[in-house]
Amino acid sequence: MKKFKRIGVLTSGGDAPGMNAAIRAITRKALDEGVEVMGIIGGYSGLINEKLIPLTSGAVSNIITHGGTMLYSDRCPEFKTEEGMQKAVATCKKYNIDAIVAIGGDGTFRGATDLTLRGIPTIGVTGTIDNDITATDYTVGFDTAMNTVLETVDRLRDTCESHARCNVVEVMGRDCGQIALMTGISSGAMAVCIPEIPFDEDAAIAEINKAKEQGKRGMIVVVSEGVFATDANGNKVPYGELLRNTIEEKTGIETKFARLAHIVRGGSPTLRDRLTATKMGAKAVELLLEGKSNLVVIEDNGEITSLDILFALTTDRMYKNKLKDGDLDKFGAEELRAMEAICEKRREEISTLYKMAQEICR
Ligand code: ADP
Ligand code: F6P
């Protein structure tokens, strides 16, 4: 058991519902182990600018129900510089912070590795609505975001039905189509368009026309924000808006476009997010007290466990075809096989769901 006197906790990158539940769990678990907790305000910029508050059990009371993050979040380019990182390390030393738990996405975990390398043991906890970290089955915020999409699309569907319209709905998720795919299936969309799988526009239009002939009135198409196309002027534009025009042109159905954008990032976290955040937060403190660092807490087939951050980030680049020269050199054959298995699991999951969407969502 490592004897830390004080740890810090921060939230960084895009906020996600459930981040507060994670802050609460980290704080209460650490206090229970006799470790003090400092909240770092505004992600890595709070470390650079010495913005910290002590977190008592009372300070994290009544936040589990709240969306956003009580510690605020930031995208902090200065932290990516050596000078910024050294300032962050100096703040840790000045305030006797022995270790950090960083809640966020892959960028946040890169920062966590940089802190560990500079002598501040750091553990990452997932907090992003996108569920785009390949090495974990789940990221905190995903379920709430999807439920918000679902509720909104259900409303759009009501009015589409009344007016015999179609609504193309664009949802967040960056280059990960999971939010679009799962909400598309669950909202009964006519078609789903995601970055991972080529979209057959003609087939989708044919299905919409067929449904119209059969008397279907309200139609929903869900498109991920990560799908782009080239417009008539040669500019790269979000595909959803173009698809709206195409559907209207080729089906004669009046078609609206809705970009849900940040609506999907706010709101009270669901049970799934509160529970997973609590489990992951507590696990992060346990790992630190076991003397471990540079790990990200993940969910693997329902189990809360952890992976080396470099392994997790490299697996992610492998899945997204973004590997750089030498990325794989640090890993042995067994680790490479494990990475490929994780990528394959995700590819299979997405393609199975996509096929299901094509078969059932008509
Ligand atoms: P997310 O964590 O949701 O992926 P970002 O990619 O914006 O969000 O990353 C959050 C923050 O993490 C950045 O603003 C920056 O402070 C830090 N960060 C991102 N990439 C790096 C990096 N390569 N090295 C060090 N810190 C990084
Ligand atoms: O990563 C979470 C996310 O909401 C993405 O889905 C989206 O592309 C991005 O962040 C938006 O970032 P910002 O809040 O900086 O506009």
Side-chain angles (χ1 to χ4, degrees):
M1 200 75 162
K2 187 124 180 159
K3 239 8 230 164
F4 289 125
K5 195 173 172 306
R6 180 180 286 169
I7 64 167
V9 54
L10 61 84
T11 49
S12 152
D15 65 350
M19 279 183 161
N20 280 324
I23 295 166
R24 172 178 174 272
I26 291 158
T27 304
R28 297 240 169 112
K29 175 77 181 165
L31 292 174
D32 194 54
E33 298 285 351
V35 178
E36 293 171 8
V37 185
M38 296 296 280
I40 296 148
I41 303 294
Y44 290 113
S45 69
L47 266 187
I48 291 175
N49 301 314
E50 297 185 33
K51 296 220 168 91
L52 303 106
I53 50 163
L55 290 180
T56 58
S57 188
V60 295
S61 171
N62 201 24
I63 62 167
I64 196 167
T65 60
H66 297 180
T69 157
M70 69 166 283
L71 294 176
Y72 310 139
S73 195
D74 194 12
R75 304 204 197 261
C76 172
E78 193 187 349
F79 185 73
K80 294 190 194 175
T81 65
E82 187 54 41
E83 202 192 339
M85 287 176 206
Q86 289 303 339
K87 279 193 204 163
V89 170
T91 302
C92 291
K93 301 237 158 90
K94 182 169 169 187
Y95 290 85
N96 299 315
I97 293 172
D98 302 316
I100 299 263
V101 181
I103 308 164
D106 54 354
T108 301
F109 303 150
R110 265 178 221 120
T113 291
D114 288 326
L115 277 179
T116 305
L117 286 173
R118 284 160 188 77
I120 310 294
T122 302
I123 301 278
V125 167
T126 69
T128 167
I129 62 163
D130 300 337
N131 204 28
D132 63 343
I133 301 167
T134 313
T136 178
D137 292 344
Y138 193 79
T139 61
V140 168
F142 182 48
D143 188 59
T144 307
M146 287 198 297
N147 277 290
T148 306
V149 171
L150 200 57
E151 191 193 323
T152 312
V153 173
D154 286 351
R155 287 168 193 241
L156 291 170
R157 207 170 163 171
D158 287 346
T159 165
C160 281
E161 187 74 19
S162 307
H163 291 267
R165 284 176 179 157
C166 176
N167 213 311
V168 176
V169 186
E170 184 198 90
V171 298
M172 276 189 169
R174 244 184 247 276
D175 50 8
C176 177
Q178 288 211 30
I179 294 180
L181 182 53
M182 295 196 190
T183 59
I185 292 172
S186 308
S187 62
M190 288 291 302
V192 179
C193 179
I194 60 174
E196 292 90 337
I197 296 182
F199 182 63
D200 189 340
E201 187 181 279
D202 291 340
I205 299 283
E207 285 296 339
I208 293 171
N209 270 324
K210 194 166 116 200
K212 181 185 165 189
E213 276 163 28
Q214 290 169 345
K216 190 174 171 83
R217 292 176 59 86
M219 319 243 192
I220 295 288
V221 174
V222 179
V223 181
S224 165
E225 67 169 357
V227 183
F228 291 90
T230 310
D231 71 7
N233 304 318
N235 302 315
K236 187 180 167 195
V237 289
Y239 178 62
E241 289 175 76
L242 289 186
L243 184 60
R244 185 213 78 85
N245 299 337
T246 312
I247 292 174
E248 195 161 80
E249 229 169 71
K250 296 194 174 168
T251 66
I253 300 170
E254 188 183 353
T255 304
K256 303 285 179 188
F257 174 74
R259 174 168 291 133
L260 303 193
H262 294 80
I263 286 173
V264 169
R265 276 230 314 249
S268 178
T270 58
L271 180 145
R272 168 71 152 125
D273 281 324
R274 296 180 199 192
L275 189 60
T276 308
T278 302
K279 288 180 183 174
M280 286 187 169
K283 180 78 178 175
V285 174
E286 271 169 33
L287 290 168
L288 279 177
L289 295 181
E290 283 166 17
K292 298 184 178 144
S293 66
N294 207 37
L295 299 175
V296 55
V297 180
I298 61 147
E299 185 180 299
D300 180 22
N301 291 325
E303 190 195 345
I304 302 299
T305 174
S306 63
L307 281 175
D308 175 77
I309 290 183
L310 187 62
F311 178 96
L313 293 178
T314 308
T315 305
D316 208 47
R317 285 204 287 276
M318 181 185 269
Y319 178 74
K320 292 170 184 163
N321 291 322
K322 288 183 179 165
L323 282 174
K324 292 185 227 117
D325 281 351
D327 266 357
L328 299 182
D329 295 352
K330 300 141 199 144
F331 301 97
E334 203 174 312
E335 287 172 305
L336 293 177
R337 269 196 299 278
M339 282 179 190
E340 269 153 21
I342 292 171
C343 295
E344 192 45 35
K345 178 178 157 191
R346 187 163 280 229
R347 272 193 289 270
E348 253 182 62
E349 189 180 80
I350 301 230
S351 93
T352 306
L353 281 174
Y354 196 82
K355 275 195 205 111
M356 186 187 288
Q358 285 181 312
E359 284 161 11
I360 294 175
C361 298
R362 293 282 167 259

